[in-house]
Amino acid sequence: MATPAPHGVPEGHGAAAVPPDLAELLRAQLEEVADEVEEEVRRQVPEYARPADGTYRENLRAGVVQALTLFVDHIADPRGRGDAIAATYYELGRGEALEGRSLDALQSALRVGGLHAWRLMGRTAEQLGLDSAVVTALGELAFRTVHEVAEAAAAGYSEARAHNTDELERRRRRLLDLLLGEGPVAPAAVQDMAHGARWSVPRQVAVVTLAATPDQREEEWPLAAAGALVDMESRPPRMLIPDPDGSGRFGGRAFSLALRGRPAAIGPTVPLTEAAQSLRWATRALGLMGRGILPRQGVVRCADHLSTLLLHSDEPMLDQLRGRALAPLDTVSEGQRERLAETLLAWLLSGSNVPDVAARLHVHPQTVRYRLRQLEKVFGDALHDPGARLDLILALTTAQKSEEFLNSRP
């Protein structure tokens, strides 16, 4: 590890004005000063105000002692680099990144500790009767010390953060694969992997599938930063969003804006361990969007189209239903077939109310009555059988969305 050299730090004639013998006088007070500096840091920096025990206390204490030692060493040898001590702060910075904490707390502790240490040691210098030039030089050395350890900590933090980001993405991808896999999902395994991926385990989730388009990469999606697990390399691209019904981040217009106009299907909200079911329905909805059965653009929520998804969950069976229910229409001409099918569906959905059918189709009621007489001849008693009427509604509704199904019939 190459410890970064400080930039813009006072050096030279000012530092040389400090008597080297002062280093030994201050070194004798180092432990006492370290106690006070540690207490001041814990008092002023909330992140360091936790109960003082175990490894955390040892690390804080070691950091204070190391910084004070570097300060005293600079007095003894103003040109010294203190690489070993700077390396300690490099590792402290790495540790903050690996624990997922901000560097701000460590940098605040350095500023607070450095200022307090300077007050304590500067007081000693004044008690010894040192002139103002020496006191000023001590201040410059204190600034230099804080600058060096802060740069070392920042370098360690940056290095670990870059490495940690890649590793975090890999862990989250493995977690997503586990949740969306074919086999059963063990809650304990999810908890372990989520902890390693620094992902808060939600109670419920929904899976979103995205229309595949070129030149859109995972890092472009702000939803990943908001807690979604994202895999843009799968086909179709997919993401798992936590608590979709309880968070403004993943609801309504905000979610659509985050997708930047990209067509998407949102699966139903399910318990976390059933995420694969949400993926299955979202994938099916995306396929129906591509065929025009569901809206091709925007965000389609499976919860708003359950009947359509159910009907198309078994396409061969749906074809059988349509073929059988609509077979009587094969006896009329192609031109009549579409008009009669349109009138029949409107009649079934309107509760057999002729004026309502006429208004819906924008035709005269007499035209509706004429067509209904034709339908009576074609379908007979089936028009009044509840089971047959249900089959006709399902068949006609899906036929309207199935690439001119009626016109393609023989």
Side-chain angles (χ1 to χ4, degrees), residues 6 69 116 166 244:
T69 300
H116 195 64
D166 292 340

Side-chain angles (χ1 to χ4, degrees), residues 66-317:
Q66 292 275 23
L68 291 173
T69 300
L70 179 60
F71 175 60
V72 174
D73 286 348
H74 276 324
I75 296 174
D77 180 10
R79 300 288 179 176
R81 285 286 305 278
D83 284 351
I85 293 174
T88 297
Y89 274 84
Y90 184 92
E91 291 302 319
L92 282 174
R94 288 188 75 253
E96 294 296 287
L98 294 174
E99 289 298 321
R101 292 191 291 265
S102 166
L103 186 61
D104 293 344
L106 179 57
Q107 300 285 32
S108 295
L110 288 174
R111 289 192 296 270
V112 170
L115 180 60
H116 195 64
W118 160 240
R119 289 190 186 123
L120 296 173
M121 291 187 165
R123 191 178 307 153
T124 298
E126 290 176 355
Q127 290 171 353
L128 292 174
L130 300 178
D131 61 35
S132 59
V134 173
V135 175
T136 300
L138 278 174
E140 292 178 347
L141 282 176
F143 175 72
R144 174 183 173 185
T145 301
V146 171
H147 187 83
E148 285 187 12
V149 296
E151 274 204 338
Y157 187 89
S158 297
E159 185 274 334
R161 186 71 180 271
H163 177 270
N164 202 35
T165 298
D166 292 340
E167 178 60 24
L168 197 62
E169 289 180 359
R170 285 192 290 270
R171 291 181 181 183
R172 291 192 171 189
R173 184 70 59 80
R174 289 196 296 269
L175 174 60
L176 183 61
D177 290 342
L178 171 68
L179 292 171
L180 301 184
E182 295 293 335
V185 179
V190 172
Q191 289 286 350
D192 289 344
M193 291 188 70
H195 178 75
R198 295 181 197 151
W199 190 69
S200 297
V201 177
R203 188 172 61 87
Q204 293 184 311
V205 298
V207 176
V208 181
T209 53
L210 303 164
T213 59
D215 302 326
Q216 239 170 333
R217 300 166 298 174
E218 179 177 345
E219 58 266 27
E220 295 177 344
W221 294 97
L223 294 169
L229 299 179
V230 180
D231 182 3
M232 298 303 294
E233 296 179 2
S234 64
R235 291 294 177 267
R238 61 197 186 182
M239 65 176 70
L240 182 145
I241 56 178
D243 295 322
D245 300 329
S247 172
R249 295 172 300 175
F250 302 117
R253 182 170 173 78
F255 182 76
S256 299
L257 289 174
L259 294 180
R260 300 168 185 170
R262 189 167 183 169
I266 304 180
T269 299
V270 297
L272 178 64
T273 54
E274 298 176 17
Q277 295 291 339
S278 187
L279 171 64
R280 183 165 65 89
W281 285 105
T283 302
R284 179 163 296 149
L286 191 68
L288 295 178
M289 290 172 68
R291 294 163 56 188
I293 295 173
L294 291 177
R296 293 181 184 272
Q297 300 300 319
V299 177
V300 169
R301 296 179 181 273
C302 288
D304 298 334
H305 302 277
L306 292 178
S307 59
T308 300
L309 289 165
L310 177 62
L311 285 171
H312 288 272
S313 62
D314 189 331
E315 296 278 2
M317 184 65 71

Side-chain angles (χ1 to χ4, degrees), residues 287-294 296 312 315 318-319 322 334 337-338 395-409:
L288 295 178
M289 290 172 68
R291 294 163 56 188
I293 295 173
L294 291 177
R296 293 181 184 272
H312 288 272
E315 296 278 2
L318 180 59
D319 288 341
R322 286 194 298 231
E334 182 176 327
R337 188 182 307 144
E338 186 174 356
L396 289 166
T397 300
T398 58
Q400 281 190 339
K401 301 177 181 180
S402 297
E403 302 294 339
E404 304 297 334
F405 174 84
L406 290 168
N407 288 336
S408 67
R409 293 176 61 78

